[in-house]
Every structure is written in structure tokens, then in C-alpha cells.
Amino acid sequence: MTRARTPLLIGLVVALLLGLVVYAAYATRAADFDAPSPLDAAAPQGLEKFYTQDLDWSECGRAHCAWVTVPIDYADPDGPTTRVRMALYPATGESKRSVFVNPGGPGGSAIDFAGTMAGSLGGDVREHADVVGVDPRGVGLSTPLTCLSDRDFDAYTASDPDPDDAQEIAAQRKGFTELGEACVDGSGDLAAHVSTVEAARDMDVVRALLGRKKLDWFGASYGTELGAVYAELFPDRVGRMVLDGAVDPTLDSVESSFGQATGFQRALQAYAEDCVARDDCPLGDDADAGVAKIADLMDQLDAKPLPGDGKRQLTEGLAFYGIAVTLYEKEAWPTLTQALRAAFNGDGKILVALSDIYFGRQDDGTYESNQGQVISAVNCLDTPEGLTEADVEAQIPRFVAASPVFGRALAWGALGCSDWPIEATSPLPEIDGKGAPPIVVVGTTRDPATPYESAKALASQLDSAVLLTRDGDGHTAYLSGNACITKAIDRYLADGTVPKDGTRC
């Protein structure tokens, strides 16, 4: 868990891999691609040069890519600029719409996710809809937010997420401040302007450049917050919007972290109940006792790390991430079983490897993206906090009661943005999306990272929302293989048929 208000990362690793395999069956029409023209409609005052800029398109695999220039600070459109990268997968037939997609994070690559969704959305959707991925400012292939070196980020992720005394608390707080300072040193003005509000404004620029009067949107996890903010800023420009694995944007850092403590413990309990029903489960034959055994392992790692991959030890922090990443996909539960069996026998190698998957760390010690760092920058600009150590300590009993395994670490994680050294200029607005057409909010009952309660909350906050529910395990619904969910969302994106509010699958 990063030291900030955050949905956890890498929620769609397995789904992305599956989606990319599916997409291989599709062929794009590179030779037939007609570059879209910007809308003739007037751009917002002072932003005309951004809304009408010429794009230089190039083929990039099965997609067509372009750079889009946007102001670093929308309050100063004549000031410094940054660039965001876009990939467009053309419709299989006549293009009439563009479905923008975002996988969450914040920090996940929308360009990668667009490749997945281009092959996963139903044929009726794809016949007339391009799929567009825009890596948000500071993320992925867009001009990246540059912060800690790989070596320093290794130390950051391995640090104790559950401080036991004043010295450890001070070290944790210093580490978070140093992360923010590194972002300023590496990226200058951009470090103060990677908020969700600014990313949503970038999406509107791209919408206009693609010649679309309306923005169709499929957002997963944090992508639901980005979509909801867009609906608040530009309700009259919303087309068909799906928010899958919804975030509740009204929660402060404490309640957001508490929701995740509840969600991850619920998912861990479901895993344990599945495990003990099988032969040779390392948790024994009682789910509650098995969860307690995992909690004991975390306490032991806090006192004495285990041997890991030869170069790094398995710390409590790395075990936290290694266990968490397997709870996003039920298909990963057998891997968690292997990892726990090894750890109980004194071998932390598998859990270290799983923590690397969580952060996108490669075998050579480099990171495939900055997602583990940019998540903190975005969250702290969205929801600046003023918590004290006493505030956190008062919450710890409640967190531990909700999650003996994850509770203390998530409670201390809520403190992070109090130490972020960059002033927020565009915090999240109050969101109701009034004036937008129907928005489909999707929740999964045992989602660990964005608990089902958050989907219900967002659906109640958005003026035009309907709630679609998947009864199941894992993070998000559409790529889970649930045919009922797939049919409802595909039909909505294809012809605008809105699912009945309260539908359960």
C-alpha cells in the first residue's frame, strides 16, 4: 500500500493479459484510417490553440497514436505545456463514436488498457466505436512524472508500513516527504499539476480533437473517479459512461483506507475459506485460524524479515503488497497458496516476486512505469489532508478490528498526504454530475480494492446513475467473465440501452 489515499495498483494484471490474447484475433484497418478533424465548435476562451491543434498520427502496432499538447496549468494557458499520448483503435466498421478507456491506478496505462478493451468489447460495440486510450498527464507514455530512482523506490516499497515507535513513524513520514520532493526535483511544475481535475480537462481536449460532441467512457477502479470528475465538469458532453469498480470520491483518507481494510479482509477471508476446503492448504482446516496465521506471519516479518530473492529480504512491507496483489483476481489464489506455504517454511521468494508484480518491477531492478509513485502525487493533489499521528493512532483499534492483517498498515497509510510537500491547486470538486445522461455504475460484492459500498455510494451521488452489481470475487466486473455483466455493458455501449437500476448478476 502506498502512503496515501489510494485504490491499490495493478488491479487488472490478469485481465489485461487475457484481453491482449483476445485482441490478437482482431485486425485493424491501418490503410483505411482517416485522421479525425477537430470540432468546429468554439473552444473554451483562452484554450483555442489546444482544442484546435493539428495532430501528427502514426501507426503504433494495431493502433494509431498521436501526441496532444496541453497546458501544465489550465489557469495559465500561455505558460508551460506538457504532452499526453493517445492510442486509437479504429472501429471495425463505420466509426461513429469513440469510447475512451482508463484502467485506474492512478498511474495505470490507458494505452495498454485500450488494447485490451479493443479486443474485449462486444462486436456490436466495436462495429461503430473506436477505442481510445489516453495516458493521463504524468503517466505511462505521456510526459512522465519523474520522482525517485529505481534503487530509492526499492527502499521505499520495502520500508515498514506499520511503524511501531516514534523513530519508525518519523522515518515513514520522512520517506513520503522525500518522495514528493523527488517529484518536484525531477519534474518541476508538472508535479503540482497531475490532479484528476486536470486529467479530466485533458480528456475534453482530446474529445474535441477527435471530432466528438460527446465523450463515451469506460473507467475501471480509479478510472471511475476520473470519469465522474469529467461528468461534473462537462455534464453536457457526457455520452455513454460506465464506471466499473467504483471509487467513492467523498471519502477522506481515513475512511478510504478503512474501506480498503474492510475490502481486503473480506477478500482474504473468502480466499481462506476456499483454501481450507482443499487438500494440503497451508492455513489448516479452519478459515478464521488460517487468517490469524497470516496475521502472525506479518508480525514475524516485522520483527525479522525472511530470505527473499537472494538480493532482497521479504519484509512486512513487501509481504503486504505480495498478498494484496493476489486478491485482485480469484485466478491468483493458487499462487497465494504457494507463496504462503513457502513463507511459513521460511522462504520469502514467491511473496517478493508477487510484490514485484504489484509495482511492475522487472528482474533487472528497473520499473516498467512510474505508477507506484505517481499514485501518491495524484491522490495528494486531489485530497490534501491535515491528519496528525494522534488522529491515526486513535483509528488503529477500529482498523485492526476490521482487518488484523492489513489494518495497521492501512491506518498509517492514511497519514501520507499530510506530509506531501506540494500544494494542491485543483482538489476534487463535489460531484453529482447533474445534467449528464444515465451513467452506469458497476460494483462487485467482494471487490477488495474498491469495496462494493463505494459503488453504492457513487451511484447515490451521481444524479443520473444506475447501479449494476456483480456478485463475485476480485476487482472490477466487466473483464471477470460474468456473461450477465458483459451483456448489459455491451448493450449499453452499443445502442444506449440502460440497465435497470439495481440489476444483479
Side-chain angles (χ1 to χ4, degrees):
M1 181 72 180
T2 52
R3 291 18 172 214
R5 173 182 175 272
T6 165
L8 291 169
L9 298 175
I10 322 301
L12 298 175
V13 169
V14 175
L16 283 170
L17 293 175
L18 291 174
L20 288 171
V21 171
V22 172
Y23 186 71
Y26 281 76
T28 58
R29 302 174 301 128
D32 299 332
F33 178 69
D34 292 323
S37 299
L39 287 177
D40 293 331
Q45 186 174 2
L47 298 175
E48 292 87 355
K49 65 183 177 181
F50 301 106
Y51 274 76
T52 60
Q53 64 188 281
D54 292 328
L55 299 181
D56 183 12
W57 291 93
S58 62
E59 290 186 28
C60 47
R62 291 186 169 90
H64 300 268
C65 292
W67 289 102
V68 178
T69 300
V70 292
I72 286 182
D73 183 355
Y74 275 92
D76 182 20
D78 294 324
T81 61
T82 188
R83 295 198 303 171
V84 296
R85 187 68 166 167
M86 164 178 48
L88 183 152
Y89 290 81
T92 59
E94 181 185 359
S95 176
K96 298 180 179 179
R97 297 185 306 280
S98 296
V99 178
F100 286 61
V101 300
N102 184 282
S109 171
I111 288 177
D112 289 347
F113 191 50
T116 299
M117 294 300 290
S120 299
L121 291 169
D124 288 348
V125 181
R126 292 289 287 117
E127 183 178 2
H128 298 298
D130 306 327
V131 176
V132 177
V134 181
D135 279 352
R137 51 174 55 208
V139 170
L141 295 179
S142 296
T143 302
L145 187 68
T146 302
C147 304
L148 294 174
S149 68
D150 292 337
R151 183 187 294 267
D152 288 341
F153 192 58
D154 272 353
Y156 179 85
T157 59
S159 63
D160 189 354
D162 171 17
D164 300 313
D165 55 38
Q167 184 176 359
E168 290 185 355
I169 293 171
Q172 186 195 68
R173 300 190 70 169
K174 180 182 178 185
F176 199 73
T177 299
E178 289 176 345
L179 171 60
E181 291 171 344
C183 295
V184 174
D185 291 342
S187 294
D189 291 343
L190 182 62
H193 294 283
V194 291
S195 70
T196 299
V197 167
E198 289 158 318
R201 297 194 69 173
D202 295 342
M203 299 302 153
D204 196 58
V205 171
V206 178
R207 171 201 60 79
L209 292 174
L210 295 182
R212 303 303 187 191
K213 294 182 180 179
K214 303 287 185 179
L215 180 135
D216 290 352
W217 181 264
F218 181 100
S221 195
Y222 161 80
T224 67
E225 186 165 280
L226 181 53
V229 168
Y230 184 91
E232 181 63 28
L233 298 178
F234 308 106
D236 58 327
R237 302 174 196 171
V238 173
R240 300 166 191 173
M241 179 170 282
V242 178
L243 307 178
D244 182 9
V247 175
D248 180 356
T250 67
L251 297 181
D252 62 18
S253 62
V254 169
E255 294 310 316
S256 179
S257 292
F258 184 75
Q260 287 202 325
T262 302
F264 274 93
Q265 191 69 26
R266 184 185 295 153
L268 188 65
Q269 186 71 29
Y271 157 76
E273 291 171 0
D274 180 81
C275 182
V276 300
R278 301 172 184 273
D279 294 336
D280 197 28
C281 174
L283 302 182
D285 57 9
D286 179 85
D288 291 339
V291 171
K293 188 175 180 180
I294 297 173
D296 289 342
L297 172 66
M298 301 295 279
D299 289 339
Q300 294 164 17
L301 291 171
D302 188 24
K304 184 179 180 180
L306 288 176
D309 62 3
K311 297 180 180 179
R312 293 173 297 156
Q313 293 181 312
L314 176 65
T315 63
E316 181 188 13
L318 293 183
F320 179 95
Y321 299 116
I323 293 170
V325 74
T326 64
L327 298 177
Y328 282 93
E329 300 282 351
K330 190 172 183 179
E331 291 80 2
W333 288 2
T335 303
L336 177 56
T337 296
Q338 296 174 17
L340 290 174
R341 181 180 295 113
F344 293 148
N345 289 322
D347 181 359
K349 183 183 300 183
I350 300 176
L351 279 175
V352 168
L354 288 170
S355 73
D356 286 349
I357 292 173
Y358 182 97
F359 285 109
R361 187 182 188 274
Q362 307 299 297
D363 291 341
D364 62 1
T366 62
Y367 289 82
E368 61 185 16
S369 76
N370 66 352
Q371 55 192 350
Q373 303 190 50
V374 74
I375 187 173
S376 298
V378 175
N379 286 332
C380 292
L381 294 178
D382 281 355
T383 312
E385 298 287 351
L387 293 176
T388 66
E389 293 171 21
D391 293 331
V392 172
E393 288 171 344
Q395 294 291 331
I396 286 176
R398 180 169 73 115
F399 273 70
V400 172
S403 178
V405 175
F406 302 109
R408 282 185 59 87
L410 285 165
W412 282 110
L415 183 62
C417 287
S418 298
D419 296 308
W420 195 247
I422 306 169
E423 182 179 357
T425 59
S426 300
L428 290 178
E430 292 187 13
I431 294 173
D432 61 24
K434 189 173 183 179
I439 295 172
V440 178
V441 176
V442 191
T444 294
T445 55
R446 292 181 295 282
D447 189 317
T450 52
Y452 182 60
E453 292 83 356
S454 293
K456 293 194 292 184
L458 183 60
S460 70
Q461 293 157 23
L462 290 169
D463 187 65
S464 62
V466 299
L467 180 63
L468 176 63
T469 299
R470 176 174 78 96
D471 185 4
D473 299 288
H475 184 40
T476 73
Y478 182 74
L479 294 174
S480 69
N482 183 305
C484 169
I485 291 287
T486 301
K487 181 179 179 180
I489 292 176
D490 280 349
R491 189 179 180 192
Y492 169 66
L493 291 176
D495 63 22
T497 300
V498 180
K500 182 179 178 181
D501 186 27
T503 297
R504 296 182 69 91
C505 295

